[in-house]
Amino acid sequence: MPKGNDTSLWLLRIVGAIAGIGLAAGTLASSASAADDTTEQRLLNAAQEQDNWIHHHHDYTAQRYSPLNQINRNNVKGLHVAWTMALGGVEGGGIWSHGGLEGTPIVENGFMYVTDGWGSVYKIDLHGGTGKLVWRMDPKTDHDWAGAVACCGVDNRGVALWNNLVISHTLDGRLLASNKEDGKVMWERKVADPDKGEVVTGAPLVVKNLAITGVAGAEYGIRGWLAATDLKSGKEVWRTYTIPAKGEPGNDSWKDSYDAWKTGGGSTWVTGSYDPQLNLIYWGVGNPGPDWDSAYRPGDNLYTDSTIALDADTGKIKWHFQHTPNDPFDYDSVAETVLADVTVQGKSLKLALEADRNGFGYAVNRADGTFLWATPFVKQVTWTKGISPESGKPVEYDPSKPVQTYVAAVTPSRQNPHITSCPGNMGGKNWPPTAYNPDLKTWYIPVIESCNEADDKEVKPGDWKAREFFTGGGPVTKLPITGSVTAIDVTTGKVTAKFETKYPMLGGLLATPELVFAGHPSGEIYALDAKTLAKLWEFNTNAGVNAPPMTFAVDGKQYVAILVGMGGAWDKWFIESTKGLEKVPPSSMLFVFSL
């Protein structure tokens, strides 16, 4: 239920009632007002507001593509720092020594909204070629309580806009609605429960008048879910569990006799996408729990390692596509789903694209989940010999077996507890988002090229304890890890180019008509040619980049912005695989570039 008095809820309803028609792209405003309200119509037509970036993924398709082309392949070498701003949130808490930055800035009519790792929201005035802080909202997140069960870092990936409100999450499980004009918190409600190991790191997705929240915590044996909150009332409308209970469709894919589904994982910590014509929300679902001991949870373990499509109004799952049934590798499918329309051999296709941690990029029909193609985007895959062109499942998958072995020699099991597999458990791609160029029909993936050794440890009924890791083993030796940006032609499913990198790609991508922008954990920002992936420009921030770039225009000028501050799980558990990154200091900076 929302906190606060009746007056604040009354004000919220008034704000919703006076939502006006959004301003056209590029229109300037001196302050947030009724004319700046982020209406449902504007959210639906976000791609038409070329100067703005009003969704986490730019628009509902999650393509992270902007048509702005003032900065292009001919002049990108002239890109330079326009201004920077130091943010807070670098302090640690719980098991973490410091916070990090993984968010995507939101820009609307000359104002930016950005978060730090602890969920503080900053509003920045972008006019005049520099950045001026308007307000900062500190949600007073409980650092130690939430940080102790934040599996993979002190992170917050950003905000959403709705009418005259800024919608944000906190690591300790709250959904907040702040007034755009002054940052005052109008209401908040508890969505997740850190008492169970649940935390929230993803940005909200606003669809109609609903804010969709995903949850993290599979490593703590939570039961994953998505929750929809009515932004007019502050009340929950629906909650859909990604691990079905007894009597629900899919529960028969948990074939144990001790209710393993209750601690089945299936977290949803990366922001989804939405098709308004189909009224479907698309979301990636993470790994099963325990991560490694797949014999504890025999069966396919739906809906883990899946892309799911849900009715936006009811939360009912309409279809699912599972990538790695009975996953023994920690290859969760939490990645964003990119929506793209293409024509192949005269046939129009509505694609849903997902770059999976198992090292394969998938395309399915986004209306019904029918498999279309899959292709490896990493250089080395050892866990399977390939994906069936008919079913989309690994060729070794046997639905009659309760526990899958895939390539037995590299699959962790109670019989074969110590293995080396490729990709490693961080995946061929982790959470950092892909980008897609609709003109070139090219999909760009931030790749982690890795293998790792791992141990399986037997889990027994009764071993689960709240707020304690529930993984059934894990990686024990870190082998050298590199990366790449990889391009795929979505009309063929073929890899067309690779830009090799010394370190893994731990931040996401941005596509513009002629360029692809990327950040590197050793501090470099790159601009690559969209066709060839040749490097055209580079700037070293001298701090680790763990966030995706974005672009916007104000006062007739295009800018590229990125948050700089290495956080997440890498420096805690994987730093031995990337010699040199241990020297990169913590940071919390916003960099903005222009010509």
Side-chain angles (χ1 to χ4, degrees):
M1 292 295 292
K3 297 180 181 179
N5 56 36
D6 292 339
T7 302
S8 57
L9 286 177
W10 175 77
L11 287 172
L12 176 62
R13 295 187 181 103
I14 293 296
V15 168
I18 63 172
I21 298 174
L23 294 178
T27 302
L28 304 180
S30 60
S31 65
S33 65
D36 293 306
D37 280 357
T38 315
T39 63
E40 179 182 347
Q41 195 63 32
R42 288 186 60 210
L43 290 171
L44 287 169
N45 297 313
Q48 298 177 17
E49 298 190 21
Q50 295 189 10
D51 289 2
N52 289 335
W53 186 290
I54 61 173
H55 283 282
H56 176 66
H57 294 304
H58 184 258
D59 58 30
Y60 280 131
T61 67
Q63 293 180 6
R64 286 188 170 253
Y65 172 82
S66 170
L68 292 175
N69 62 0
Q70 190 179 90
I71 301 169
N72 53 59
R73 67 165 60 94
N74 295 322
N75 60 23
V76 70
K77 288 184 178 180
L79 206 60
H80 62 272
V81 175
W83 53 273
T84 62
M85 181 176 290
L87 306 178
V90 75
E91 64 273 10
I95 64 175
W96 301 99
S97 62
H98 64 276
L101 296 179
E102 295 185 354
T104 301
I106 295 292
V107 170
E108 180 184 51
N109 299 338
F111 291 91
M112 177 182 287
Y113 303 88
V114 69
T115 59
D116 64 31
W118 285 110
S120 289
V121 180
Y122 304 75
K123 179 179 180 178
I124 302 168
D125 187 342
L126 304 173
H127 298 99
T130 187
K132 299 179 286 292
L133 183 65
V134 179
W135 52 254
R136 173 176 179 259
M137 185 280 290
D138 182 355
K140 307 296 183 184
T141 302
D142 188 327
H143 286 27
D144 287 332
W145 187 242
V149 291
C151 152
C152 303
V154 174
D155 303 307
N156 184 293
R157 298 188 184 88
V159 307
L161 302 179
W162 181 79
N163 287 352
N164 198 34
L165 296 175
V166 182
I167 311 301
S168 62
H169 288 131
T170 62
L171 196 63
D172 56 7
R174 291 172 288 149
L175 178 73
L176 283 73
S178 305
N179 186 283
K180 272 188 191 177
E181 189 166 1
D182 58 14
K184 179 182 177 182
V185 177
M186 306 302 292
W187 56 265
E188 66 175 66
R189 90 172 187 93
K190 184 179 179 181
V191 186
D193 187 357
D195 286 353
K196 301 177 181 177
E198 297 178 346
V199 295
V200 180
T201 58
L205 176 70
V206 171
V207 174
K208 303 177 184 178
N209 63 312
L210 301 178
I212 315 300
T213 298
V215 66
E219 280 63 44
Y220 291 89
I222 69 162
R223 182 185 174 209
W225 46 260
L226 289 170
T229 301
D230 186 335
L231 294 171
K232 295 179 180 179
S233 67
K235 296 181 179 180
E236 187 164 298
V237 176
W238 53 258
R239 183 175 294 241
T240 298
Y241 285 92
T242 58
I243 309 298
K246 286 186 176 180
E248 296 177 349
N251 180 262
D252 59 356
S253 68
W254 298 79
K255 298 185 180 298
D256 60 279
S257 60
Y258 38 82
D259 292 340
W261 62 270
K262 291 182 178 179
T263 53
S267 48
T268 51
W269 47 277
V270 170
T271 307
S273 50
Y274 173 59
D275 185 329
Q277 292 183 330
L278 297 172
N279 197 36
L280 292 179
I281 292 170
Y282 304 88
W283 218 282
V285 183
N287 57 276
D291 304 42
W292 302 89
D293 186 14
S294 56
Y296 177 82
R297 42 175 173 77
D300 285 358
N301 306 144
L302 293 175
Y303 294 98
T304 65
D305 285 30
S306 298
T307 298
I308 57 175
L310 308 93
D311 183 282
D313 299 322
T314 66
K316 181 180 179 180
I317 297 176
K318 292 295 189 178
W319 61 257
H320 74 277
F321 183 86
Q322 189 175 38
H323 306 94
T324 315
N326 189 236
D327 173 17
F329 303 101
D330 194 17
Y331 285 159
D332 66 34
S333 299
V334 77
E336 75 291 339
T337 303
V338 178
L339 312 183
D341 296 339
V342 299
T343 300
V344 179
Q345 296 179 346
K347 183 178 180 180
S348 296
L349 298 175
K350 292 186 175 296
L351 305 181
L353 305 168
E354 192 263 359
D356 202 76
R357 272 167 67 162
N358 69 16
F360 290 86
Y362 293 81
V364 302
N365 184 317
R366 69 174 182 265
D368 58 13
T370 302
F371 174 72
L372 298 173
W373 55 257
T375 192
F377 57 82
V378 295
K379 291 185 285 188
Q380 190 172 11
V381 174
T382 63
W383 69 274
T384 179
K385 293 181 180 179
I387 302 298
S388 165
E390 288 79 29
S391 69
K393 302 294 186 187
V395 293
E396 299 85 0
Y397 170 68
D398 184 345
S400 69
K401 291 183 177 180
V403 178
Q404 301 296 323
T405 54
Y406 298 112
V407 175
V410 302
T411 300
S413 66
R414 295 175 180 178
Q415 295 73 38
N416 186 27
H418 188 87
I419 57 90
T420 298
S421 60
C422 313
N425 73 299
M426 285 297 285
K429 170 197 174 292
N430 206 270
W431 72 267
T434 62
Y436 175 74
N437 186 315
D439 296 324
L440 299 178
K441 304 294 186 290
T442 301
W443 185 30
Y444 307 98
I445 302 174
V447 176
I448 300 173
E449 299 282 4
S450 69
C451 302
N452 69 238
E453 297 181 39
D455 274 345
D456 176 277
K457 295 182 180 179
E458 183 177 351
V459 176
K460 297 179 180 179
D463 282 354
W464 178 84
K465 294 180 181 178
R467 292 177 60 86
E468 292 187 10
F469 277 116
F470 186 68
T471 59
V476 293
T477 302
K478 312 302 186 302
L479 305 175
I481 299 177
T482 62
S484 73
V485 177
T486 295
I488 293 178
D489 180 341
V490 301
T491 66
T492 64
K494 304 298 183 183
V495 172
T496 58
K498 269 186 181 288
F499 171 71
E500 306 282 354
T501 58
K502 178 180 179 180
Y503 295 119
M505 295 300 299
L506 304 182
L509 305 177
L510 161 70
T512 64
E514 296 182 355
L515 301 169
V516 177
F517 289 90
H520 214 209
S522 52
E524 298 86 359
I525 310 294
Y526 302 121
L528 311 177
D529 185 283
K531 292 183 178 179
T532 66
L533 295 186
K535 183 169 66 176
L536 302 178
W537 170 82
E538 176 182 333
F539 177 85
N540 196 335
T541 66
N542 293 308
V545 178
N546 204 183
M550 55 81 68
T551 189
F552 65 92
V554 64
D555 299 336
K557 189 171 186 177
Q558 184 184 359
Y559 297 84
V560 174
I562 192 168
L563 292 170
V564 176
M566 186 73 173
W570 203 266
D571 62 353
K572 193 174 192 66
W573 291 317
F574 297 92
I575 201 72
E576 296 174 8
S577 302
T578 47
K579 297 297 184 183
L581 290 188
E582 74 277 2
K583 300 177 183 178
V584 177
S587 175
S588 188
M589 294 287 293
L590 169 65
F591 276 74
V592 179
F593 301 89
S594 68
L595 294 172

